[in-house]
Amino acid sequence: MEEEAHLSVTASVGIATAARSSAEEFLRDADIALDQAKWEGKNRRVVFESGMQHKARSRMELEVDLRDALSNDEFFLVYQPTFDLSDMSPTGLEALIRWRHSTRNIVLPNDFIPLLESTELIIPVGKRVLEESCRQGVIWRQAGHTVGIAVNVSARQLDTDQFVTDVRNALSESGLEPGALTLEITETTLMRNLEETSRRLSAVRKLGVRIAIDDFGTGYSSLAHLQRLPIDALKIDRSFISRLTDSPEGEALIHTLVQLGKALSIETLAEGIEEPEELAMLQQEHCDSGQGFLYARPMDAAASETFLQAWARRHSSSAGGAGHNSAHSVITP
Ligand code: C2E
Ligand code: MG
Ligand code: MG
C-alpha cells in the first residue's frame, strides 16, 4: 500500500503600497518586504517601510563578514545558569553564542543565527559550540559543581545523521557524562521534519543525552507528539512568564503547562524570569526549574565559575547552621 504523504505549505508575502516612479522600484520594495517576511520567520506578510532597505543592506554586509567569522575565531560562548525552583541551586548552564564583530562590537544570535542557517554555516559553527560546551562542562564538573550543560541546536544540524556522530564524538573527546548534556531544540525545528528529527533525537538520547524543547508554547507541537517524542524537559517560553502576573489567565496557562509536564513526567523549566513575583508564582505552581535575569544573566566562562563557586560557598556555610537557604535569599551570589 502506498503511504500517504502529508505536506504543509506556508507562504510569505511582501507588500508595497505607495506610488512609485517606476515598476522596478515598486517591485524592489515588495521584494525587500518579502525578504523581511522571510527573515522574521516566514509564513507571514510584511508591508514595506523605508527603514527596511537599510536593514536588508546591513544583513547582506553581515552575511559577507560571517563567512570569515569562524576561521577568524570571532565566535565565543557565554553561559546562563538554570536553577532548581525549590532550593534555588544552580542545575546547569546554557551555552549562548556571541559574535565579536570587528566593527560592530558584539552581535547577538538573533541577528546572525538565521544567516548561519541560510548559508549552512550553522553546521560547522554548531559543531564547534557543541564541542566547546562539552569541554567547559567537564571543567566545571571536575571542579566539583554538579551542573549540566545545555546546547541549542538548529534545524539544519538535525538534517543528517552526521549530527548523531558529532554528539557522540563531542562526548567522547571531552569525557563529559552524557547525562550532563542537554540539547535544546525549538518546537518549530522539531515539527519541520518530524520523523527524521525524532529518529535522530532518539539516537542521541540512547547515548544518555537529555532533550529539551526550547521556547515551548510558541510552535505547533501537538500533545500527541509530546507523548511520542523523546523529550526530557519543556522550556516554557518567556512570553508566558511575562504574562504571568498580568491576569488570572496568565497564571492558568502556566498551571496547565506545568501540569502537562507532570502528567507526561517531563521536567518544566520557566524561561526569562525577571521579577520576584514571577518567581514566587512559579514556585507556587511547582514548576521544576527556571532561568532568567533575576537569577543570573549570561556570563563568560570565568564569571560563571565565580558564580558557581559563590553559590557553593554560601550553600556549604549555611548547610550546617540554619539548614536550607530560603528561596529568596540566594537570588544572586
Ligand atoms: P534561547 O535558547 O531561548 O535562549 C534564551 C535567550 O533569552 C538568550 O538570548 C538569553 O540571553 C535570553 N534571556 C534569558 N533570560 C532572560 C530574561 O530574564 N529576560 C530577557 N528579556 N531575556 C532573557 P540570546 O543569548 O540573545 O539568544 C537568543 C536565541 O539565539 C536563543 O534563544 C537561541 O535560540 C539562539 N542561540 C543562542 N546560541 C545559540 C547557538 O549556539 N546555536 C543555535 N542554533 N542557536 C543559538
Ligand atoms: Mg535555548
Ligand atoms: Mg528559549
Side-chain angles (χ1 to χ4, degrees):
M1 202 172 71
E2 221 173 281
E3 258 193 51
E4 240 180 273
H6 293 273
L7 291 175
S8 73
V9 179
T10 62
S12 304
V13 183
I15 305 167
T17 49
R20 287 283 180 271
S21 52
S22 70
E24 283 75 24
E25 263 184 37
F26 196 59
L27 283 171
R28 186 206 59 199
D29 290 356
D31 236 10
I32 291 170
L34 174 62
D35 203 41
Q36 182 72 27
K38 288 183 181 165
W39 175 260
E40 286 175 16
K42 302 185 181 156
N43 193 23
R44 66 196 65 216
R45 61 185 156 76
V46 166
V47 180
F48 175 79
E49 286 165 22
S50 55
M52 276 174 202
Q53 215 161 346
H54 175 73
K55 278 193 205 156
R57 195 171 324 121
S58 167
R59 275 202 299 272
M60 264 162 57
E61 284 166 13
L62 271 188
E63 193 172 327
V64 172
D65 297 342
L66 211 44
R67 286 188 202 133
D68 299 322
L70 185 61
S71 51
N72 288 348
D73 220 9
E74 290 171 355
F75 295 117
F76 66 100
L77 294 176
V78 290
Y79 302 89
Q80 187 182 27
T82 53
F83 62 101
D84 186 326
L85 284 180
S86 64
D87 64 2
M88 302 301 280
S89 60
T91 52
L93 292 109
E94 177 179 5
L96 296 162
I97 196 169
R98 298 286 181 268
W99 177 15
R100 194 180 289 104
H101 188 274
S102 53
T103 55
R104 298 185 193 216
N105 291 325
I106 309 294
V107 188
L108 292 172
N110 289 339
D111 291 331
F112 67 88
I113 292 279
L115 290 173
L116 285 179
E117 283 171 345
S118 64
T119 54
E120 304 244 334
L121 274 168
I122 192 68
I123 293 174
V125 173
K127 183 164 176 262
R128 187 82 71 88
V129 169
L130 185 65
E131 291 163 352
E132 190 173 332
S133 303
C134 289
R135 273 197 299 274
Q136 188 57 63
V138 169
I139 294 174
W140 286 325
R141 288 170 70 81
Q142 282 180 346
H145 307 295
T146 47
V147 288
I149 187 95
V151 177
N152 293 286
V153 176
S154 267
R156 282 288 163 94
Q157 290 174 267
L158 279 158
D159 278 349
T160 68
D161 289 334
Q162 182 61 35
F163 178 70
V164 183
T165 310
D166 289 348
V167 172
R168 194 181 294 120
N169 290 344
L171 288 170
S172 63
E173 277 161 27
S174 64
L176 183 71
E177 228 176 275
L181 175 65
T182 300
L183 299 175
E184 297 192 4
I185 289 106
T186 63
E187 262 188 297
T188 324
T189 296
L190 205 55
M191 293 303 132
R192 205 178 72 123
N193 187 353
L194 191 63
E195 292 303 315
E196 292 273 277
T197 304
S198 47
R199 187 172 60 72
R200 288 179 189 123
L201 290 180
S202 297
V204 289
R205 201 160 177 253
K206 275 211 188 96
L207 302 172
V209 171
R210 287 164 37 93
I211 310 291
I213 302 196
D214 208 347
D215 306 342
F216 184 70
T218 58
Y220 320 95
S221 57
S222 73
L223 296 184
H225 287 139
L226 271 189
Q227 205 180 4
R228 264 193 320 136
L229 286 165
I231 293 158
D232 301 278
L234 295 179
K235 295 192 77 174
I236 304 172
D237 190 65
R238 187 164 67 86
S239 54
F240 292 96
I241 313 307
S242 48
R243 287 196 306 249
L244 188 52
T245 49
D246 289 356
S247 64
E249 287 80 14
E251 202 181 344
L253 264 176
I254 289 292
H255 177 81
T256 307
L257 290 172
V258 171
Q259 291 310 312
L260 174 70
K262 293 204 187 301
L264 298 173
S265 302
I266 298 175
E267 179 197 334
T268 44
L269 188 151
E271 290 190 300
I273 307 174
E274 292 183 349
E275 305 294 335
E277 296 77 27
E278 293 165 354
L279 174 65
M281 285 172 98
L282 288 159
Q283 285 170 327
Q284 209 176 308
E285 291 295 341
H286 300 288
C287 178
D288 298 305
S289 35
Q291 184 177 19
F293 293 169
L294 180 67
Y295 186 71
R297 286 183 177 260
M299 332 170 238
D300 65 23
S304 304
E305 170 81 38
T306 309
F307 179 93
L308 293 174
Q309 276 168 359
W311 202 91
R313 244 195 329 271
R314 193 182 310 219
H315 186 69
S316 63
S317 62
S318 68
H324 243 47
N325 282 312
S326 90
H328 296 281
S329 63
V330 279
I331 283 176
T332 48

